[in-house]
Amino acid sequence: MRDTNTDLRVIRTKESIRNALVELIDEKGFEAITVKDITTRAKINRGTFYAHYQDKFDLMTKCEDEIMLDLSRIVKQNFPSVIAALETDSPIVTPFSLTVSIFEYLNKNSEFMKAVLGPKGDLSFQTRLKEFMWETLYGNNPNTLIKEENLLVPGQYLSSYVGSAHIGVFQQWLNNGRKESPQEIARILSTIMANGPLFAAGLKK
């Protein structure tokens, strides 16, 4: 019972620290935040903070690592069905379900994602997300979605385009207050990705 209570206290403490970080990023920007700011907002002492994190950069990195790990799990869980769907005559359906799962996750973590992806957050996180998409689409393993021999353009340009497009939609959705459901915004993104921006703009039938 004592171990369980300790674990719960650690979880609550980390949640308080993370919530404080998100609030402070929105108020003053990550660069201006100090550990004192975080501990004051989270209502903990500095010793408690340093028991879990080396500094604010370590805190940010660990929060981002958790997001990346969760996204990787979502992709891995959905990947076999994505591959199967692409081998049928209707390739949009299952990639759409993968996109829904990702937006559902972003919805649950919207406050952190909005803060870290915003102008006052950590700009390097966008680079990490693009690298994650690169590895997912075109990594050095036999189970990647895109095969080099099938590419019509250089893979890095394709990955950069796809990554920037996805992050742009993520940011716009978060900044709009997530007015669309995860299912609806996933449908919008899937329409653009599957058919191209000219089709989505009504310029190409």
Side-chain angles (χ1 to χ4, degrees):
M1 181 65 69
R2 187 175 301 171
D3 289 342
T4 300
N5 289 337
T6 300
D7 290 342
L8 289 174
R9 281 199 298 272
V10 170
I11 290 171
R12 293 193 189 103
T13 298
K14 288 186 174 182
E15 286 179 351
S16 295
I17 293 172
R18 175 169 164 163
N19 291 338
L21 175 67
V22 169
E23 291 175 7
L24 289 165
I25 288 175
D26 186 55
E27 291 176 16
K28 59 194 302 184
F30 179 69
E31 290 301 321
I33 295 172
T34 65
V35 170
K36 183 178 180 181
D37 291 330
I38 297 171
T39 56
T40 300
R41 182 63 58 91
K43 298 179 180 178
I44 61 173
N45 58 51
R46 291 171 68 89
T48 300
F49 178 90
Y50 287 118
H52 301 290
Y53 308 104
Q54 296 177 13
D55 50 33
K56 70 173 186 176
F57 300 101
D58 184 47
L59 166 60
M60 178 67 89
T61 298
K62 286 179 177 175
C63 288
E64 292 174 354
D65 285 347
E66 183 179 332
I67 294 291
M68 300 303 295
L69 181 60
D70 289 341
L71 287 175
S72 179
R73 286 172 180 160
I74 291 171
V75 170
K76 288 178 180 177
Q77 288 171 358
N78 286 273
F79 211 79
S81 56
V82 172
I83 296 297
L86 289 174
E87 294 174 350
T88 69
D89 293 331
S90 56
I92 295 177
V93 178
T94 303
F96 171 73
S97 69
L98 169 59
T99 311
V100 170
S101 296
I102 290 174
F103 274 104
E104 286 176 341
Y105 177 78
L106 295 177
N107 190 46
K108 291 178 182 177
N109 294 274
S110 59
E111 292 184 359
F112 177 78
M113 295 301 296
K114 183 178 180 181
V116 76
L117 287 175
K120 297 180 182 179
D122 180 12
L123 296 179
S124 68
F125 188 51
Q126 294 188 29
T127 301
R128 291 191 66 186
L129 281 177
K130 288 181 182 180
E131 290 173 350
F132 168 75
M133 292 180 185
W134 164 258
E135 288 299 321
T136 300
L137 292 173
Y138 188 65
N140 294 320
N141 69 76
N143 297 317
T144 50
L145 191 61
I146 296 174
K147 305 300 182 184
E148 183 175 5
E149 61 270 18
N150 296 331
L151 288 171
L152 302 179
V153 296
Q156 289 183 324
Y157 289 107
L158 176 62
S159 177
S160 179
Y161 175 85
V162 171
S164 296
H166 277 70
I167 291 172
V169 172
F170 295 162
Q171 291 173 314
Q172 189 66 43
W173 182 57
L174 293 170
N175 290 336
N176 284 350
R178 296 172 289 129
K179 295 177 181 178
E180 298 85 359
S181 67
Q183 292 76 15
E184 176 61 16
I185 195 66
R187 184 195 65 78
I188 291 170
L189 181 57
S190 293
T191 298
I192 298 172
M193 293 306 301
N195 300 289
L198 295 180
F199 176 88
L203 298 175
K204 183 178 179 181
K205 304 298 183 181

